[in-house]
Amino acid sequence: MEFARELWLRIETLHAVTYFGEETQEAGRELGATGFWMGYFGFRAAPLGPVAPGVVDATFFNFSPAFVRRWVPDVWTVVAPEALVAARARAAAATLRRVAPAMDDVARAVAPFLDAAIAAGAAPGRALFAANRDLPLPTDEVEALWQRCTALREHRGDGHVAALTAAGVDGLEAHVLIALEQGADPEDLQRTRGWSADDWAAAVDRLRHRDLVDEGGSLTDAGLDLRRSVEHTTDHLAAAPWLALDEMERTRVVELLTPVASAVSRGGVLRYPNPIGLPPLPA
């Protein structure tokens, strides 16, 4: 399933400008969102409608429930989901055009391939994918490209949540496992996902009792095996939409998206490392 990961790396890079691009931050302020996190939760949850915080807990998966409740449902009293949906696509497209001038040509060329993949995606159990898939596509070609990438990104994300849940791993434990595997800073993940140091320590202790973490705080062989198994399952589930394309078409999608995704990766918009676990594209 290497093609699923190769495509994810490019699609996630294009999607992720919505979290880091200055245009999205400005769009949130113009709509009245107070601070980054009200904008984040509003923009990402908006395709679901004015949902309760429990829905965001369940679908976003890895945030502290108390953190979610600081912003949801208050965001819906400030700005309607429909306005957030339109604004996020406009803002993301502005960022993409700013860092990758060829984005319009790529958007036109790749559209039929992405549409075929989205049509082949399975909606059951994938709430964020289904909500994004069912949004009307913007008439602007780059806005539509971003929306297509977002639907496919959420398809993979929903599958990743399913893989973690099947493995008996909760959202915080997932962060602990990947941080230990990659040597990431736990304070960054705690700060950006609303968990305390005590929450983190309790999750480490739970994983230690399952023999996934050793007494020294490192992943055991079983912990590494679990991480590999989750990623393999995620790739397997994420591959399904792309099976609607033949090998030459999948290769063409990678070829089309690589230059613009590389421009975004190198363009100073995204930060590395980041809380979403997205690595930079190889130079």
Side-chain angles (χ1 to χ4, degrees), residues 101-119:
M103 196 66 70
D104 284 83
D105 292 339
V106 171
R108 285 190 292 273
V110 80
F113 300 120
L114 299 187
D115 283 342
I118 291 166

Side-chain angles (χ1 to χ4, degrees), residues 1-17 20 96 114 149-150 152-154 156-157 182 231 234-235 238-239 242 250 253-266 270-272 274 276-283:
M1 302 302 170
E2 279 189 21
F3 65 87
R5 187 159 289 266
E6 288 294 305
L7 287 162
W8 164 74
L9 183 56
R10 288 147 180 82
I11 283 169
E12 181 84 3
T13 297
L14 298 179
H15 164 81
V17 300
F20 301 102
L96 292 173
L114 299 187
C149 288
T150 296
L152 289 163
R153 183 263 190 179
E154 298 292 19
R156 181 186 180 88
Q182 298 181 353
E231 292 301 318
T234 299
D235 286 344
W242 301 108
R250 292 194 295 267
V253 174
V254 172
E255 291 173 346
L256 287 167
L257 293 181
T258 294
V260 290
S262 295
V264 172
S265 185
R266 298 191 305 269
L270 311 183
R271 73 173 174 93
Y272 301 104
N274 51 69
I276 59 178
L278 174 67
L281 265 78

Side-chain angles (χ1 to χ4, degrees), residues 115-188:
D115 283 342
I118 291 166
R126 292 183 170 93
L128 284 167
F129 164 67
N132 278 279
R133 178 201 61 184
D134 290 350
L135 292 174
L137 279 174
T139 55
D140 179 273
E141 291 173 328
V142 177
E143 291 180 30
L145 169 67
W146 182 84
Q147 183 57 48
R148 290 176 171 108
C149 288
T150 296
L152 289 163
R153 183 263 190 179
E154 298 292 19
H155 183 283
R156 181 186 180 88
D158 289 338
H160 187 55
V161 170
L164 287 163
T165 302
V169 177
D170 66 30
L172 176 53
E173 291 165 354
H175 279 316
V176 172
L177 290 170
I178 197 169
L180 291 176
E181 182 184 41
Q182 298 181 353
D185 179 7
E187 291 187 3
D188 187 29

Side-chain angles (χ1 to χ4, degrees), residues 15 18-19 36-61 63 68 71-76 79-86 88 127-132 135 146-147 150 153-154:
H15 164 81
T18 194
Y19 308 128
F36 173 86
W37 287 109
M38 179 177 279
Y40 170 87
F41 285 112
F43 281 127
R44 189 171 175 216
L48 297 166
V51 293
V55 177
V56 178
D57 287 348
T59 53
F60 288 24
F61 187 68
F63 287 87
V68 173
W71 313 109
V72 181
D74 286 356
V75 63
W76 311 131
V79 56
E82 294 81 4
L84 288 160
V85 165
R88 70 176 191 157
L128 284 167
F129 164 67
N132 278 279
L135 292 174
W146 182 84
Q147 183 57 48
T150 296
R153 183 263 190 179
E154 298 292 19

